[in-house]
Amino acid sequence: ITCMESTFGIPFVWFSLVRGPEADALRSAAADSRMLGERLNLIDGESLAFLLDGRTDPLLVNGDLRSFYRLLPPTKKYLLRSLAVVPFTLGNRLAGSLNHGDPSPDRYHPDLATDLLLQLGVGLSRRLGELVSGGR
């Protein structure tokens, strides 16, 4: 996460995990990491699916982000005016999102291409699936 922040100049990066058995292993792994534990939010799957509008590809939003505050970690409060939400799956089910936030409303907006973020989501899904299943 800190590498993404420094390399790409992203002020705020955190995970939202769907409550449920798919994310239990991820939550326990994150609990072992102080950095991840502070950048983790739990959300119910229906709420995340609603925010993504049923999409499985990355979502870029700016402007009024009040409905997206549900993605914020409880111990962190970020001043956000634009947001990139990158969903990831475990076992072909929505398991959460990797979120990138910025105080500038121009950083992320719906007209930007999301090809690289889509690749990030696919790679993240694959790697997290390997970690959860104990594979390398």
Side-chain angles (χ1 to χ4, degrees):
I1 288 179
T2 56
C3 178
M4 292 180 77
E5 289 173 334
S6 61
T7 301
F8 298 105
I10 303 169
F12 311 114
V13 180
W14 74 98
F15 282 97
S16 293
L17 293 179
V18 170
R19 287 183 187 98
E22 295 86 7
D24 285 344
L26 294 176
R27 280 196 305 272
S28 64
D32 293 339
S33 166
R34 183 176 158 262
M35 181 193 59
L36 284 177
E38 293 175 352
R39 295 169 184 243
L40 182 66
N41 176 57
L42 298 179
I43 188 169
D44 65 86
E46 292 161 357
S47 293
L48 182 57
F50 175 78
L51 290 173
L52 292 168
D53 197 24
R55 303 159 45 122
T56 56
D57 53 325
L59 176 66
L60 304 178
V61 293
N62 62 354
D64 183 6
L65 301 178
R66 280 181 281 191
S67 61
F68 290 90
Y69 290 173
R70 292 180 261 183
L71 295 175
L72 294 173
T75 61
K76 296 280 187 183
K77 298 302 173 207
Y78 306 126
L79 172 61
L80 301 176
R81 298 180 103 184
S82 65
L83 181 64
V85 182
V86 182
F88 59 87
T89 59
L90 288 173
N92 295 322
R93 294 185 58 169
L94 181 63
S97 62
L98 175 60
N99 309 294
H100 306 88
D102 199 285
S104 169
D106 299 322
R107 175 71 183 256
Y108 303 109
H109 55 82
D111 296 332
L112 292 175
T114 60
D115 301 8
L116 295 176
L117 290 173
L118 181 61
Q119 289 178 23
L120 175 63
V122 169
L124 182 60
S125 296
R126 184 177 50 249
R127 184 63 184 133
L128 290 174
E130 291 169 358
L131 289 171
V132 168
S133 68
R136 298 263 173 215

